[in-house]
Amino acid sequence: MKSLITIQKTFKVFKTLSMIAMIVSFIAAGTALLGLFCVIEWQSAGMLGFGRSVMEFAETTSLEPAICALLSDAVFALTDGFLCLFAWNYFKMELADGTPFTHSGADKVRSLGIQTIVMPPVAVIISAVIYSFFGMTNSADSSNAVSVVLGIVMILASLVFHYGAELEMKMGEIIK
């Protein structure tokens, strides 16, 4: 039982960390979108009035690189935010169940693993489409090896959790 208490405390910490990461990610996405609004205002020479004076001091009138970067950053931040939201939902469910060894919890971990593998490459593809739309190339590193490995580990953990749920069911039957 001491191990289960340690697991619960650890999952409680991860629930809090995933909530913090989710909030930070969504704030970053909002900030990127707010920056995008400001860049578009700047590009349009100040429909609201403040862009024209800024444009007079700008050395360039081409703000497409900033638009691409801000849109791309918003996509990546939203992706991270949703992944953290999904993780938070899992930790919340696991803490309510009192054990990670449930079939529904194992299914949720497997789903989270698949989402962790799929969502970052989708964000990279969306970012590439954004950059190609403006005729630019993105030189940022778009390796997703970490998310693939993490997703595989989660899928493997879900198999262990399914096995643990089966053992708990068998132990319950033996006790009865």
Side-chain angles (χ1 to χ4, degrees):
M1 273 321 242
K2 186 175 181 179
S3 295
L4 184 58
I5 292 170
T6 303
I7 289 171
Q8 291 302 102
K9 286 180 181 179
T10 303
F11 277 28
K12 194 171 191 175
V13 169
F14 283 136
K15 178 185 170 201
T16 303
L17 291 175
S18 63
M19 174 62 87
I20 292 168
M22 177 187 63
I23 291 169
V24 169
S25 295
F26 287 146
I27 288 172
T31 303
L33 293 173
L34 180 62
L36 178 65
F37 171 75
C38 291
V39 166
I40 290 171
E41 169 64 18
W42 187 2
Q43 180 73 27
S44 65
M47 287 189 318
L48 296 178
F50 67 85
R52 186 173 310 267
S53 61
V54 173
M55 286 296 280
E56 292 172 2
F57 296 108
E59 294 178 12
T60 180
T61 58
S62 176
L63 297 174
E64 284 84 8
I67 292 170
C68 288
L70 289 168
L71 271 175
S72 178
D73 288 348
V75 167
F76 285 117
L78 285 172
T79 300
D80 291 344
F82 281 114
L83 282 173
C84 290
L85 174 64
F86 299 146
W88 179 80
N89 281 330
Y90 165 70
F91 292 128
K92 180 180 165 186
M93 185 185 80
E94 190 279 336
L95 288 168
D97 290 343
T99 180
F101 301 110
T102 62
H103 291 292
S104 62
D107 290 341
K108 194 123 178 152
V109 170
R110 184 183 66 235
S111 175
L112 184 58
I114 292 168
Q115 291 164 336
T116 302
I117 292 171
V118 172
M119 288 179 69
V122 168
V124 168
I125 292 168
I126 292 171
S127 176
V129 167
I130 291 168
Y131 274 89
S132 67
F133 178 78
F134 286 97
M136 307 180 108
T137 57
N138 184 4
S139 61
D141 179 27
S142 59
S143 172
N144 290 307
V146 173
S147 66
V148 170
V149 170
L150 181 60
I152 290 170
V153 168
M154 288 177 166
I155 292 169
L156 292 174
S158 77
L159 296 173
V160 172
F161 292 166
H162 267 295
Y163 179 67
E166 290 173 7
L167 288 177
E168 281 191 357
M169 285 176 55
K170 285 181 185 177
M171 290 300 291
E173 290 172 6
I174 292 173
I175 292 173
K176 288 180 184 179

